[in-house]
Amino acid sequence: MKYALPLLLSLCLLGLAQAEQKQSFGPYDVHYSIVNTTFLKPEVAKAYGITRGDDRFIINISVRENLDNGTDVARRSDVTGTVFNLIHRNKLDFQEVNEGDAIYYIAQYSADNKETLDFTMSIEPETSQRAYKLQFNQIHYTGK
């Protein structure tokens, strides 16, 4: 995929800048970050069907399994979730991006400036017998 590396690099760099977070569930580490879509290059956003805008965000989730030999590997996962703003609950439609040793899931949504949203995700790694629940909230800044 022509734009996979730029999207991955963009999300990783922006994830670090936006304080990427991690939660562990047994042997699995779930990394997540949120970025405003205006940080993506227009051609990268277009290649992935991402709508850019001040009030548009993407959530990025990746799952890595820690192995007994001290290494870790990316794991395909069933990722579903919702975003809630105290009035409306909306389903997040995750899209898988698989680059072999990097697999991540992205979903788009919109938010107002200084709006706090609550996220609830169900994440079931392909090598797991169960789904894990990830919950967090995030204040969004749109530049408006």
Side-chain angles (χ1 to χ4, degrees), residues 6-129:
L7 180 62
L8 175 61
L9 288 175
S10 295
L11 292 174
C12 287
L13 293 173
L14 290 170
L16 292 173
Q18 302 282 323
E20 176 192 36
Q21 298 182 38
K22 176 181 85 168
Q23 187 163 342
S24 297
F25 300 97
Y28 304 100
D29 289 336
V30 176
H31 299 263
Y32 58 98
S33 61
I34 293 174
V35 295
N36 187 290
T37 58
T38 58
F39 289 110
L40 296 174
K41 292 182 178 181
E43 62 272 15
V44 172
K46 183 177 179 181
Y48 285 93
I50 296 170
T51 303
R52 294 175 75 239
D54 285 337
D55 65 341
R56 305 283 303 170
F57 295 83
I58 56 173
I59 181 170
N60 173 35
I61 295 180
S62 66
V63 179
R64 301 207 52 96
E65 182 177 4
N66 297 302
L67 304 177
D68 291 338
N69 66 6
T71 64
D72 66 351
V73 295
R75 288 293 181 209
R76 292 188 73 215
S77 301
D78 182 23
V79 179
T80 59
T82 60
V83 58
F84 180 63
N85 71 355
L86 299 180
I87 298 172
H88 299 100
R89 183 174 306 279
N90 294 310
K91 181 179 181 274
L92 293 166
D93 293 317
F94 285 95
Q95 163 187 345
E96 179 181 286
V97 178
N98 188 331
E99 298 174 352
D101 59 353
I103 303 168
Y104 49 103
Y105 299 85
I106 57 174
Q108 305 178 62
Y109 63 93
S110 59
D112 292 327
N113 191 35
K114 298 182 182 177
E115 181 174 24
T116 299
L117 297 178
D118 296 314
F119 295 83
T120 302
M121 259 81 56
S122 173
I123 300 165
E124 185 174 353
E126 65 183 349
T127 55
S128 178
Q129 299 295 321

